[in-house]
Amino acid sequence: MPPRKGALRSLPAVEVLLGMEPLAAAARDVPRALVLEAARAEIAEERARLRKRAGAPADAPALAARAAARARAEARPSLRRVLN
């Protein structure tokens, strides 16, 4: 079944997400490039979910919160195995 165009059109723009408090707070702690990438990724995942199965899209505050968590997780340093 094709996705409803209204559901896809109701997804917020990246700039709208960046202006919301969870992402604005993350941008103070994390490089803006990571925050921007996380916002784009969350919107893309939501778009893919809506294309797979019809349903109501996630609201903008939920997407912003998920994107902020993703940006912070990406900014966390990871341990790497090295050879001496």
Side-chain angles (χ1 to χ4, degrees):
M1 178 198 276
R4 295 177 304 168
K5 289 185 181 183
L8 292 175
R9 287 184 181 157
S10 68
L11 290 173
V14 173
E15 289 300 320
V16 170
L17 287 185
L18 292 175
M20 301 188 96
E21 183 52 35
L23 279 178
R28 289 189 286 270
D29 304 330
V30 177
R32 187 177 192 282
L34 283 178
V35 174
L36 182 62
E37 181 182 323
R40 287 178 177 158
E42 285 300 325
I43 292 172
E45 283 184 9
E46 186 65 16
R47 188 178 301 118
R49 184 189 70 81
L50 288 172
R51 284 188 177 133
K52 279 187 176 180
R53 58 186 185 274
D59 60 343
L63 285 173
R66 291 194 325 229
R70 180 188 290 246
R72 285 193 172 102
E74 288 292 323
R76 232 177 271 131
S78 63
L79 297 176
R80 296 182 198 187
R81 184 177 288 204
V82 295
L83 299 174
N84 287 329

